[in-house]
Amino acid sequence: MAADIPAFTLNDGTKMPSVGMGCWMGGYGGGQRVNAMVKKALQAGYRHFDTAAGYGNEEQVGAALRESGIPREELYVVTKLGGDKHARVHEAFEESLSKLGLDYIDLYLVHWPQAENDTEEVLKPHEAPTIVDTWKDMEKLLDTGKVKSIGVSNFSVKTLTELLPHAKVIPAANQVEMHPFLPQYELQKFCEEKGILITAYSPLGQPPAVGKEGVPSLLTNPTILSIAKERGVTPAQVLLSWGVQRGTAVIPKSENEERMKANITLVKLSDAETQGIDAEHKKPGLHRSLLSYHSVIDGKGAVFGWTYEQLGWNLTKGGVVPS
């Protein structure tokens, strides 16, 4: 039975379950692990599943969904265009669809604004295919009848502002890192004004980074722990409920059945509790990304070949928000 959670209506009229299962396994692939995780998640009531060509596990995710016997129309499936396929959008889409073994995809996203050439070299923002070139090919996919919605991921106010004047179809969603330490208020306001739903990835942080090299933990944060204790729920439930209440979809990932069940059981937070969580990022050292993909290019903070400035991210080295 599907979990009793809210659904968000996208700008094209389709509906997305507010809580999904992220299928990035911390490394490329996942094989039987991801297949087993999806099957457990289906049993726990999940109907929204998020994967990507770059995760290397579309086949295993698709197999679990097909073998479940759950009607296709009750499932919400998201996958993403790889950076090396920006010049071959239709080919990449068909490949993902084939690997999933489904008749259609609910939401297809441009995974990152960065495009790569045939030798996997990251192109500069002005080099073709640009984000506008890629988006025009994404729009053509809607004519196939094999995808219901198209959107973007890891786009900022800057990159969306570059894209939208050339878009015939406004992206239905923008999937970004978002949690109480990186609430992305400016981006959320911008997307709401444009009718773009935000999906928060890593809404609980990311285990490999949590607690290491000075990276703070959401799950052991005193404010979150206090609310969870008072409510008799897990810290993860508090974090996910906060995300959904502020109008964003959330895609946590867990292979543990009990945590899966807890994560899709939302609680109604009070205004005081919400305000307390909202204020956490203002504390010293807490306004930051929690992910480990940050690097340095020519002395500047960067992610996957573009500097923060090129991405339009207001961060300093290591993913910290400047004070």
Side-chain angles (χ1 to χ4, degrees):
M1 182 180 295
D4 183 16
I5 55 171
F8 291 114
T9 301
L10 306 185
N11 59 24
D12 55 14
T14 60
K15 293 183 181 295
M16 173 194 289
S18 57
V19 182
M21 177 60 68
C23 295
W24 168 245
M25 304 302 285
Y28 188 81
Q32 286 306 114
R33 277 180 56 212
V34 73
N35 184 274
M37 181 183 77
V38 171
K39 288 179 176 177
K40 291 176 186 175
L42 289 164
Q43 288 292 319
Y46 289 78
R47 295 295 182 266
H48 173 180
F49 294 88
D50 183 277
T51 185
Y55 296 174
N57 58 31
E58 289 172 313
E59 290 174 299
Q60 291 80 11
V61 170
L65 297 177
R66 296 193 311 273
E67 293 164 8
S68 71
I70 294 171
R72 175 65 184 91
E73 63 271 16
E74 294 181 18
L75 301 171
Y76 193 90
V77 182
V78 183
T79 193
K80 311 179 191 75
L81 174 74
D84 60 335
K85 295 291 178 66
H86 281 216
R88 299 183 296 278
V89 172
H90 188 269
E91 173 191 321
F93 173 80
E94 290 290 349
E95 185 176 332
S96 285
L97 190 64
S98 175
K99 287 182 176 179
L100 286 162
L102 302 174
D103 294 331
Y104 66 90
I105 290 169
D106 292 277
L107 175 63
Y108 192 53
L109 305 176
V110 179
H111 201 162
W112 287 86
Q114 302 95 309
E116 300 172 12
N117 61 21
D118 290 337
T119 60
E120 297 187 355
E121 178 185 8
V122 177
L123 303 178
K124 293 180 174 61
H126 64 275
E127 293 180 319
T130 65
I131 56 177
V132 172
D133 296 330
T134 302
W135 187 251
K136 287 181 177 179
D137 284 340
M138 290 284 288
E139 291 177 332
K140 294 174 185 176
L141 294 177
L142 293 170
D143 295 331
T144 68
K146 297 177 182 179
V147 61
K148 291 192 172 184
S149 307
I150 54 174
V152 295
S153 180
N154 297 298
F155 273 55
S156 63
V157 171
K158 176 180 179 179
T159 47
L160 283 169
T161 299
E162 292 169 356
L163 172 64
L164 291 179
H166 307 279
K168 293 180 180 178
V169 177
I170 302 300
N174 181 20
Q175 187 180 125
V176 298
E177 179 188 1
M178 183 180 281
H179 44 68
F181 293 168
L182 194 67
Q184 306 253 33
Y185 290 117
E186 181 188 10
L187 179 61
Q188 184 179 15
K189 182 175 184 292
F190 180 90
C191 286
E192 285 177 350
E193 290 172 349
K194 304 298 182 182
I196 302 169
L197 177 74
I198 286 183
T199 298
Y201 70 72
S202 296
L204 309 178
Q206 193 175 56
V210 168
K212 295 183 180 180
E213 300 178 2
V215 178
S217 167
L218 284 164
L219 295 174
T220 60
N221 174 266
T223 297
I224 304 299
L225 284 174
S226 176
I227 295 171
K229 183 177 180 181
E230 180 71 23
R231 290 282 188 156
V233 298
T234 67
Q237 283 175 274
V238 173
L239 292 163
L240 299 173
S241 298
W242 173 84
V244 173
Q245 277 187 224
R246 71 194 298 249
T248 63
V250 292
I251 45 171
K253 176 258 174 185
S254 178
E255 296 178 70
N256 179 281
E257 291 179 69
E258 290 307 311
R259 286 196 291 270
M260 283 183 188
K261 292 174 184 176
N263 288 351
I264 207 165
T265 306
L266 302 174
V267 295
K268 174 65 175 168
L269 300 173
S270 68
D271 290 343
E273 289 169 332
T274 299
Q275 290 163 9
I277 298 170
D278 288 344
E280 280 304 292
H281 74 102
K282 298 177 182 178
K283 296 179 180 178
L286 293 189
H287 201 170
R288 56 172 299 146
S289 165
L290 294 178
L291 303 186
S292 56
Y293 52 34
H294 300 273
S295 61
V296 177
I297 296 176
D298 297 329
K300 299 178 180 179
V303 174
F304 299 143
W306 281 15
T307 65
Y308 295 153
E309 182 180 2
Q310 290 171 321
L311 285 162
W313 293 6
N314 183 31
L315 300 173
T316 58
K317 289 182 188 178
V320 178
V321 177
S323 56

